[in-house]
Amino acid sequence: VQLQASGGGLVPAGGSLRLSCKASGFTYAYYAIAWIRQAPGKGREWVSCISASGGTTDYADSVKGRFTISRDRAKNTVYLQMNSLKPEDTAVYLCARSRYASGGSQAGHYNAWGQGTQVTVSS
C-alpha cells in the first residue's frame, strides 16, 4: 500500500493550494480516503474524507466552506482543494486509507498512511 501526497508549498494568507494523494498497491476504488494534518507541536487533526464511491464527503468545521475533497478513479488520486488559506492551516498534510468504503473522523478508521506534504501559510 502506497499513498503519495504532493502539492504543498508556501502561500500567503487568502491563497490557494491543491494537494494530491496518489494511491497504489491496493484496489483504490474500494476504500474511503482522508486527509489529516499535523501542525508543529500539536496532535493530528482529521481534515476531510471521501467515500469509496466519491458520493459522500465530510469536513472538519475548521475547513468547511474553504476546502473541497474529490477523487479521480482513472488516476487513483484524491485531491484537496484548499482556498482562503489561513496561517492556522499551516501543517504537514497526510493522506490515509480507511479500513472501509466509508470514512470518518476517528483515527481507528484508518490503517494505511502516506508521507506528508508541508503547507505553510504566511500572514
Side-chain angles (χ1 to χ4, degrees), residues 20-105:
S20 299
C21 175
K22 172 76 172 177
S24 62
F26 65 98
T27 307
Y28 166 82
Y30 290 176
Y31 299 96
I33 302 289
W35 286 98
I36 291 95
R37 67 187 180 186
Q38 186 161 18
K42 297 187 178 180
R44 286 181 173 177
E45 176 190 13
W46 173 84
V47 174
S48 180
C49 63
I50 186 165
S51 64
S53 69
T56 302
T57 59
D58 200 8
Y59 300 91
D61 287 344
S62 58
V63 306
K64 203 169 289 184
R66 299 188 298 122
F67 291 10
T68 303
I69 192 170
S70 61
R71 65 193 296 162
D72 184 329
R73 287 182 172 232
K75 295 183 179 180
N76 280 14
T77 300
V78 171
Y79 302 100
L80 186 68
Q81 178 67 43
M82 306 187 297
N83 299 329
S84 302
L85 283 161
K86 304 176 181 180
E88 51 263 44
D89 294 318
T90 294
V92 174
Y93 284 71
L94 307 99
C95 51
R97 188 196 72 177
S98 176
R99 300 173 187 273
Y100 317 112
S102 60
S105 60

